[in-house]
Amino acid sequence: LLCGIISKYECTGCTHALQYSTREGLFLTVLRYIVPPEADCQRLGIFLRTQGVTAGLIKSVKYNGDGFFADGAPLHTDRPVHPGQQISFALPPEPPTSVTPQPVPFAIAYEDEFAAVLEKPAGIAVHPTLNYPDGTLANGWLYHLQQQGKTSVFRPVNRIDKNTSGLVLCAQNSFAAPLLADSAQKCYLAIVQGILPLGPDQVEAPIARRGDSIIGRCVREDGKYSLTRYNVLGVGTGYSLVACTPCTGRTHQIRVHMAEKGWPLLGDELYGGPMEEFPRQALHCAGVAFTHPITGEQLCLTAPLPEDMAALLKKKGIGWRPVLAPFVEELLTVQPTTVEEITERYRKPKQKGRP
């Protein structure tokens, strides 16, 4: 059923990935691993787990997919593997989704067969809810795939609020999802009330649900551990620009921590921010860094401030740097500046025919 190779990845480890087109018009991703000497006689299931394949995916391949192969021959997960064997399996087809494809405005900062980074404008929800059943980023992403003749699901690794702008990292398949979730780091730019001392600091305070609100959160002793590192980049007339890196992923973490310190975000009515000069919380996910699940390379994508936040900084006389150099330098050993520079490091030219 496999009628043509679309693209091939090569990486420094033992993982290779092939993506084929079937005669039914589906895209099928096949992962390949070469067994190293130190894995001799390991059971296949254990070997796959050491390569980052989750137990859930192993079960799905066994019962919903075509199973596992060693040098082209079927192999059960309780059988041993041996050095030099090529272990391969195809990712099972994605389950159907109830999200309707719709044209929705957003930009694509990066896209390949395993990961995508989308740039969401403020005012658009990430995924459908009771209050926002359509017109979301999920609807727009599925429409984008539909235009390419592809079908998939929407797997955001990080979610941002409807009125927060910026980058959203998405996994393209069930193999990539847990690996991206484990490696993803984010940097936000926030405009807060108050003149803060320039330089780095952190807020370490537990966050819990707030009793008077369905969605509100607060700092409370019985809450979950939460840590936000921040760096004050500039100050102006009564306001400061702050780069925030949430080290834990609590709901509204940056908004809650800044408000707890007495520095609520502009436009953040839920947490006491001033509403006179800005209609939404002044928060933008400006940087996303992650380890590519196939190549192992660290990638970083950045998004410039949206026009409304940039205009506010100019009005308040707050100087700022459009590139998050400290964030990039801290997280990455390389600093690619364009998608093309990132991609050419590991993607081989497209080939035709069987490998």
Side-chain angles (χ1 to χ4, degrees), residues 7-26:
S7 60
K8 182 175 182 179
Y9 289 83
E10 302 285 357
C11 73
T12 56
C14 62
T15 305
H16 301 260
L18 304 173
Q19 190 174 66
Y20 293 93
S21 175
T22 68
R23 291 193 180 96
E24 289 75 16
L26 300 175

Side-chain angles (χ1 to χ4, degrees), residues 183-223:
S183 68
Q185 299 186 60
K186 303 171 290 292
C187 183
Y188 292 78
L189 292 177
I191 304 176
V192 304
Q193 186 178 38
I195 300 178
L196 282 61
L198 293 174
D201 206 335
Q202 66 181 40
V203 181
E204 190 174 17
I207 293 178
R209 288 184 178 272
R210 203 169 75 186
D212 62 342
S213 172
I214 297 176
I215 62 172
R217 301 293 192 271
C218 64
V219 169
R220 205 170 61 211
E221 289 185 0
D222 63 344

Side-chain angles (χ1 to χ4, degrees), residues 150-332:
K150 298 180 180 180
T151 58
S152 185
V153 296
F154 180 66
R155 283 192 184 87
V157 173
N158 68 300
R159 293 176 172 84
I160 57 178
D161 298 326
K162 174 176 175 284
N163 288 323
T164 298
S165 58
L167 300 176
V168 177
L169 173 62
C170 300
Q172 295 274 47
N173 53 56
S174 55
F175 169 76
L179 300 176
L180 291 174
D182 287 343
S183 68
Q185 299 186 60
K186 303 171 290 292
C187 183
Y188 292 78
L189 292 177
I191 304 176
V192 304
Q193 186 178 38
I195 300 178
L196 282 61
L198 293 174
D201 206 335
Q202 66 181 40
V203 181
E204 190 174 17
I207 293 178
R209 288 184 178 272
R210 203 169 75 186
D212 62 342
S213 172
I214 297 176
I215 62 172
R217 301 293 192 271
C218 64
V219 169
R220 205 170 61 211
E221 289 185 0
D222 63 344
K224 295 181 179 180
Y225 175 80
S226 306
L227 172 64
T228 302
R229 292 194 170 96
Y230 67 88
N231 188 16
V232 181
L233 304 179
V235 297
T237 54
Y239 301 107
S240 301
L241 175 66
V242 185
C244 300
T245 300
C247 300
T248 48
R250 311 304 176 204
T251 300
H252 299 173
Q253 178 172 315
I254 293 172
R255 298 165 63 187
V256 171
H257 274 172
M258 292 294 104
E260 173 68 16
K261 296 289 288 186
W263 315 318
L265 274 63
L266 270 70
D268 194 354
E269 186 174 17
L270 182 62
Y271 296 107
M275 300 297 298
E276 296 79 16
E277 296 188 81
F278 210 67
R280 65 174 181 95
Q281 65 257 19
L283 187 62
H284 175 69
C285 186
V288 171
F290 61 95
T291 302
H292 194 279
I294 293 297
T295 69
E297 184 178 14
Q298 288 184 297
L299 304 179
C300 181
L301 282 300
T302 59
L305 274 178
E307 293 182 0
D308 57 353
M309 289 181 65
L312 181 63
L313 291 177
K314 183 177 180 180
K315 178 181 177 181
K316 297 299 179 182
I318 301 176
W320 58 288
R321 289 183 293 176
V323 178
L324 298 178
F327 170 70
V328 175
E329 292 168 359
E330 178 183 353
L331 294 177
L332 307 178

Side-chain angles (χ1 to χ4, degrees), residues 105-128:
F106 70 93
I108 299 175
Y110 179 82
E111 180 183 7
D112 66 24
E113 291 88 345
F114 291 86
V117 180
L118 314 182
E119 187 174 349
K120 183 187 81 69
I124 294 177
V126 169
H127 50 75

